[in-house]
Structure formats: structure tokens, C-alpha cells
Amino acid sequence: MGMFTEQLQLIETLNPVYNALTSVFDVPDEQPTGPLAGSVFSVKANIDVAGAATTHGLKSLTGNVKSSDAPIVARLRAAGATPIGHANMPTLNARGLHTYSELAGHTINPWNATKSPGGSSGGDAVAVATGMVRFGIGNDSGGSLRLPAFLNGVCALKPSYGRYPQGAAFGQPDPSFPTQVMTVEGPLARTVADLRLVHGLLCGADPSDPRTVPVPATGSPVAKIAGFVPGDPVVEEAVKRLADAGYEVEAVTPPRVEEASELAMRMIATPIALQFDQYVAFAGEDLAVYARNLLAIRPGLDIGEFLALTGTRLAVQREWAQLLDRYPVLVAPVSTTPSFEREDDRHSPEALAAYFEATKMCEVTSFVGVPAVAVPTGLRDGLPTGVQVISRMYREDLALDAAAVLETPLSPAVSAG
């Protein structure tokens, strides 16, 4: 164990209570070198780590051992960080609201065990919140980094489309179009400073992923102007802090939110709709319940609708680019619902629709591809509060700057098993 003894002992004590990690890796005996030397991180169970099984939350994939790291893991390992374990996720990443897998069961929210820790990167968020790891690596296609960060009182960065290189998708050598344009991998951490550090190490083009762009991690200074989505008390309190820090703040109406958030989820639903029988046969009845609810409210697109969507997406991206040209950062809710029960997305199509409505600012920003930082801002009724700071394409640094102003470090009172 060597230098990782203390961290491994903490995991041994806390993981039986919170069920954040589904496996713990062997750690090196030698001292790593680099800016992250000595830091351990968790990796969502759908991201490859050399020598470990990428299970996607399925018992049947416990033998799916990988020979190489995903690009994002390789970059962190090269910087001296050590992957310590795979983190729990919803089976096949199918449910975004709550982290429950066929393989490992429920992950527990450290603030209130009766509440959901969120998903789908919920295992990583809980591992970070409880101190089992310094940071975690997950993915986000509509809030899957930001929602668990919000519900567990930690920070998360959903980077711009093409910012970091990504690995393979489950079941295919390369992802389909919805996954290509919606899903990004990114970090969770207890502080904005750690997000910024990891972000700088993950940026850069990679020939294994032609979507990645050779854009520096930081850009030129801009005017301190912030738009905000009015109506949410947590958001409105947050922008007061920005104003006190010298930002000019103004309420705005982001473009085409209802349309884009619905299209985002219909695009994600389309592959399920096209292969529904095969999906149910493989995934099982538990996920079939969720899939039926999803398709009832976000039906798959036919070929004509899908082609039309590609043009609509470009138009929506243009309107968001124009908005963010005027307001370099935009403060919005992660979720307008402060907490969720474990099964809130399974009760009925209407319940799932309510969840999508609460998190629509996550869905639309994934559809557009812009970066966003989820940051905790305090506590209310014993649970974390927070917002997301959205910024221009490839200007994660602007969102991180504003998030650092808003950040209120939180730490749950953890209990040992």
C-alpha cells in the first residue's frame, strides 16, 4: 500500500456505508511523479482502466477486463494521479436521476440516506464528498456530472464538446451520433481549484479522438458580465455574490430552452426506440420500466425528424453563442427541485417528465455543447444548495472564475461502517 495506506483505510471504512465504489484497484508501490502525485481518483464504471473490468453496472461484464486506459485516465495517470477504483453508476447508464446498478445496488447520499445521490456519476460524487478520493471522473449527457455534484455538495465540470479526448462506448467501436455530440467526460472535486487543476491537465487534441480541439485551457480576459436565469432563489442569491465581486449582473431568458431540452432527450431516446426489444432482452425488466416511461414522454425520432434536428441544433447553438457573446457567463439552476427520492424517475411517465423539467438547463447545455461548472453555494434544510455557471465554448476558465466566487465548501458528517 505504501503512500496510499491512509486512503485505502478510509475507503475500507466508508465504502461499506455509502457504496460509492464497486471495486478497488491495486495501487503501485513506487512513488508517482507529476503535479498530481499522491492523489487518488475514482473512475465511473463505464470508463476504461487498464487491468480492470469496465462493467457498466452489469454483473455479466465483470470479466470485461481492459488492456489500456481511456485517454482521460491515461492523462491523469501521466500527471501522477492514481486511479483507486471504479465508481457505481446506474446500470448501462440508463437512469440519470439515481445511482443504482444491478452489480452493486444503491449508492447512498451522505447528507441524507433517504435521498438520492443523483446520477449517473453518483458513485464518483459520493466518493469525492466523503473524502475517499481527491477527485472523480465521470461523464455527462444531460446533467450526469452536475446533478450528483449538486445533490452531494461538491463541484463538477462539464467541459465543452471536444475539449477532452474520450474512449469507446459500450457495445460499439465508436459512439452513435447522439452519444458523440451529447456525452462528455469530466471531473468532480471538492473545490473549484482542483477542478481547474485537473481541467488544465486534460485539455488538448488527441488523434484517438478527432473531436478534440487544440485550444488552450485559458483564454484572454473578458468583461465581468454575468447573465442569470431568474426565478430560482438559490440562483438569485448567487448572483448577488457575483455583483459584490464586481460582476455586472442581468436577468436573461436563454434561447429555446423548452424546445432544445426536449429534443436533447428525444435524440438520446432514439437508439433505444430503434432497438427496443433487443434493449429489453439485454437490460432486463427493471430498465424496461424506465425505457417505457422515457419513450412515452420523449419518443424516438424518425429519419425525417432526426435530419431536421441536426439543423435545429445548429440554429440553437448559434443563438446560445450570441447570448454568451453578450454575457460571458450565465448562472442557472442545476435542478429547480432541491432533492429527489430514489425512485422518482420510475413512478410514471409524468414523474420522469417532472425530473426533466427540473433539470432542463442541464439538458439544453448538453445539447448546445457549452461548458458548465456545478458549484455548491450553501445548505438549506440540511441539504446542499448550488448552481451551475455556463460559459462560452472552450472558455471553461470563465465559468471556473465565477464559480470560485460562489463556492461554499461543504463536508457531510460521514459515518463508519
Side-chain angles (χ1 to χ4, degrees), residues 51-409:
T54 304
T55 65
H56 300 265
L58 284 167
K59 293 178 182 177
S60 61
L61 291 180
T62 53
N64 186 32
V65 177
K66 299 299 180 177
S67 60
S68 60
D69 290 331
I72 193 170
V73 175
R75 286 190 173 181
L76 293 172
R77 205 192 286 267
T82 299
I84 200 75
H86 263 138
N88 201 20
M89 58 175 274
T91 309
L92 286 177
N93 223 25
R95 291 175 59 195
L97 168 59
H98 179 60
T99 295
Y100 167 83
S101 70
E102 171 199 288
L103 175 66
H106 295 280
T107 293
I108 306 303
N109 186 319
W111 294 93
N112 184 328
T114 70
K115 301 294 185 182
S116 174
S120 59
S121 305
D124 292 284
V126 172
V128 169
T130 56
M132 287 188 250
V133 297
R134 181 176 177 183
F135 56 92
I137 295 298
N139 34 51
D140 189 313
S141 57
S144 291
L145 287 164
R146 292 164 285 170
L147 180 67
F150 168 75
L151 295 175
N152 293 284
V154 299
C155 306
L157 169 58
K158 183 203 88 68
S160 306
Y161 168 82
R163 205 22 146 158
Y164 311 150
Q166 297 185 196
F170 173 66
Q172 50 194 334
D174 286 299
S176 64
F177 182 79
T179 304
Q180 284 182 39
V181 300
M182 290 280 291
T183 304
V184 293
E185 293 168 356
L188 304 98
R190 282 188 293 281
T191 67
V192 172
D194 271 357
L195 284 187
R196 193 188 300 273
L197 174 61
V198 172
H199 169 66
L201 295 166
L202 292 177
C203 289
D206 186 321
S208 71
D209 185 351
R211 294 169 294 177
T212 51
V213 293
V215 177
T218 59
S220 349
V222 300
K224 295 173 72 172
I225 303 173
F228 70 94
V229 178
D232 183 277
V234 176
V235 168
E236 295 190 356
E237 178 60 35
V239 295
K240 291 177 184 177
R241 295 189 205 174
L242 288 181
D244 290 342
Y247 281 77
E248 177 187 336
V249 300
E250 185 177 333
V252 301
T253 301
R256 302 172 75 166
V257 170
E258 301 296 336
E259 176 190 15
S261 60
E262 179 173 339
L263 284 174
M265 299 316 298
R266 289 191 68 188
M267 183 163 62
I268 288 173
T270 297
I272 296 174
L274 288 173
Q275 298 180 311
F276 185 78
D277 290 342
Q278 300 96 309
Y279 178 84
V280 171
F282 182 76
E285 186 55 32
D286 181 61
L287 290 186
V289 172
Y290 176 81
R292 291 188 187 100
N293 288 342
L294 173 64
L295 294 174
I297 60 169
R298 299 291 186 267
L301 301 159
D302 64 29
I303 186 62
E305 291 171 323
F306 202 96
L307 289 173
L309 174 145
T310 61
T312 300
R313 179 171 175 268
L314 181 61
V316 174
Q317 288 177 307
R318 181 182 299 111
E319 292 185 37
W320 271 79
Q322 291 166 345
L323 173 75
L324 293 168
D325 185 58
R326 170 69 180 90
Y327 305 95
V329 295
L330 174 68
V331 183
V334 173
S335 169
T336 53
T337 299
S339 65
F340 296 92
E341 307 301 321
R342 290 179 176 181
E343 302 298 318
D344 274 355
D345 60 342
R346 284 172 49 86
H347 294 313
S348 65
E350 293 75 21
L352 182 59
Y355 161 62
F356 287 155
E357 175 65 21
T359 59
K360 64 187 178 184
M361 291 304 300
C362 290
E363 295 144 24
V364 67
T365 44
S366 288
F367 186 74
V368 173
V370 291
V373 174
V375 60
T377 57
L379 291 173
R380 178 174 296 172
D381 299 326
L383 295 173
T385 62
V387 299
Q388 61 178 317
V389 183
I390 301 156
S391 54
R392 299 169 179 171
M393 287 292 285
Y394 312 118
R395 291 307 307 268
E396 290 84 357
D397 57 313
L398 300 178
L400 290 164
D401 289 344
V405 173
L406 302 178
E407 178 179 18
T408 300

